[in-house]
Amino acid sequence: MHTTVAVVGGGPAGLLLARLLRLADIDCVVLERRDRAYVEQRQRAGVLEQSTVDALREAGAAERLDAEGLVHSGVELRWDGRSHRIDFPSLTGGRRVWVYAQTEVVKDLIALHRATGTPVHFEAEVRAVEGVDTERPTVRYTHRGQERTLTCDYVVGCDGYHGVARTAVPQGVRRTYERVYPYSWLGVTAEVPPSCDELVYAHSPRGFALHSMRSPEVSRLYLQVPNGTDPAHWSDERIWDELEARFALDGRQLGRGPVTAKAVLPLRSSVTEPMRHGRLFLAGDAAHIVPPTGAKGLNLAVSDAVVLARALVRRRHTGETDLLDAYSDTCLRRVWRAEHFSYFMTTTLHTDPGQSRFDTRLQIAQLDRIAASPHAEAELALNYAGLPLP
Ligand code: RFL
Ligand code: PHB
């Protein structure tokens, strides 16, 4: 079997890239390790930047997003008995964000691939990517127990943080920059209408909390917890009591409802450079991850896919490889900006286990500054609502 572009991984990066290639009549094959149901149900991100929504519209993948996505014009910060709303459109020249779950983006893209006949093979686990320094790389995978081989002109590793594609970049070439945080998030989905209209990010002496949502009927909530926390130790009642304490609602109560999912996720920042070696390109979490506090993970995966699709289309139409050659540098500039923003949001809002009273006062001074200065506020709004695509 041969294809022009072999895409390893059917998460948002791989599925969107395949859709953009398909629209340009470039053949590709997507190989995804898990089954379709698993990929469509995996609970993850929920906030789409303006440029992500623009990219999905351009890909013809935004029909349901436009009908069901919740458009948000701001977020609220809470700290030290105060609260401040950041208004995105007035601070960013009209940019907004959409609350629309990653699971729904993935379902929409898979449905489009099914309708247009783009090959997306589920339960196809890639074992090795070889020959990326040659004209004809090879991808070895197993599909329902059978060993298979796919040759291609280009291979794109969209296989996430635990993927194998990255290891095809020789060790002497590959550099990884990483930071592990001394806390995790307990993520909770609950069948109860959100108690707020917009997302609330709360700094509290008890630790960080975030109120998000999935729909007008379903809330999505997060609590900072110690690394290694077992979610079984968090009963529904304990979760609601802790959320209420951290959101400091002045005696008002959060709407409570049945918790339908809870899981602990560790927080990590990581970047692998370069994002291209020979005919191998890395996109999304395969090349970089961010802690979720800035809501950037999914959005970076989308921007990588857009930049790479543009470069592959140019190569097809003009023979020029200039955009492919620039791919890694183009993406890494945006990646490092998002890494910094995610680190800033994380360290400003969480309580480190070893945190001194001095550190806490610095966090409060920073949050006060955001509330007092239109410049500081605009810097947050521009990064959160998302910088324009490169
Ligand atoms: P994905 O979504 O991880 O997709 C990678 C795909 O590759 C497949 N795969 C393989 N396929 C074939 N052969 C192999 N050898 C393979 N190895 C792996 C996997 O099964 C998977 O389907 O990466 P992508 O496309 O780059 O998209 C990135 C986003 O998913 C990610 O940045 C965000 O979801 C990050 N993230 C969150 N971001 C937020 O902004 N807010 C959140 O609340 C949030 N929650 C999360 C998250 C990431 C999580 N992970 C990765 C542990 C919660 C979790 C649990
Ligand atoms: C979510 O809704 O899952 C979500 C929203 C904002 C974040 C992280 C996660 O910063």
Side-chain angles (χ1 to χ4, degrees), residues 87-271:
D87 184 75
F88 299 144
S90 64
L91 292 160
T92 65
R95 297 173 84 79
R96 292 178 162 77
V97 299
W98 276 249
V99 173
Y100 189 69
Q102 179 169 330
T103 46
E104 307 312 303
V105 173
V106 164
K107 281 181 205 159
D108 295 345
L109 287 166
I110 291 173
L112 278 171
H113 287 311
R114 281 285 179 263
T116 53
T118 305
V120 178
H121 299 304
F122 292 99
E123 298 172 74
E125 177 162 5
V126 172
R127 304 288 189 168
V129 173
E130 293 162 0
V132 300
D133 286 317
T134 70
E135 301 262 292
R136 186 167 273 227
T138 303
V139 177
R140 296 191 193 284
Y141 65 102
T142 51
H143 189 217
R144 304 200 174 117
Q146 299 246 334
E147 306 270 335
R148 305 253 168 119
T149 299
L150 176 66
T151 60
C152 55
D153 298 345
Y154 294 101
V155 50
V156 187
C158 298
D159 49 348
Y161 184 61
H162 300 288
V164 297
R166 191 172 47 229
T167 60
V169 182
Q171 279 202 336
V173 177
R174 195 172 2 128
R175 297 177 301 276
T176 298
Y177 303 86
E178 198 155 58
R179 182 180 215 278
V180 178
Y181 297 81
Y183 33 73
S184 299
W185 279 15
L186 176 67
V188 172
T189 309
E191 296 288 333
V192 60
S195 298
C196 48
D197 297 327
E198 293 178 333
L199 271 59
V200 180
Y201 288 82
H203 174 281
S204 130
R206 306 175 69 97
F208 169 75
L210 168 62
H211 196 321
S212 179
M213 60 203 70
R214 287 291 174 263
S215 73
E217 293 80 39
V218 176
S219 298
R220 178 83 180 149
L221 300 135
Y222 296 95
L223 284 168
Q224 175 187 342
V225 291
N227 284 343
T229 293
D230 179 353
H233 293 151
W234 284 81
S235 66
D236 291 13
E237 196 184 4
R238 181 172 179 206
I239 289 170
W240 291 114
D241 289 347
E242 192 60 31
L243 285 164
E244 224 160 71
R246 295 193 193 181
F247 286 122
L249 294 162
D250 298 332
R252 278 179 296 134
Q253 288 190 332
L254 272 183
R256 297 187 179 205
V259 168
T260 53
K262 59 186 169 186
V264 169
L265 56 131
L267 269 58
R268 187 187 290 269
S269 303
S270 174
V271 180

Side-chain angles (χ1 to χ4, degrees), residues 63-84:
E63 203 178 302
R64 210 157 61 87
L65 160 63
D66 280 324
E68 297 172 21
L70 308 172
V71 184
H72 282 202
S73 296
V75 292
E76 185 183 328
L77 300 177
R78 270 189 213 166
W79 74 102
D80 200 28
R82 270 158 282 175
S83 129
H84 181 76

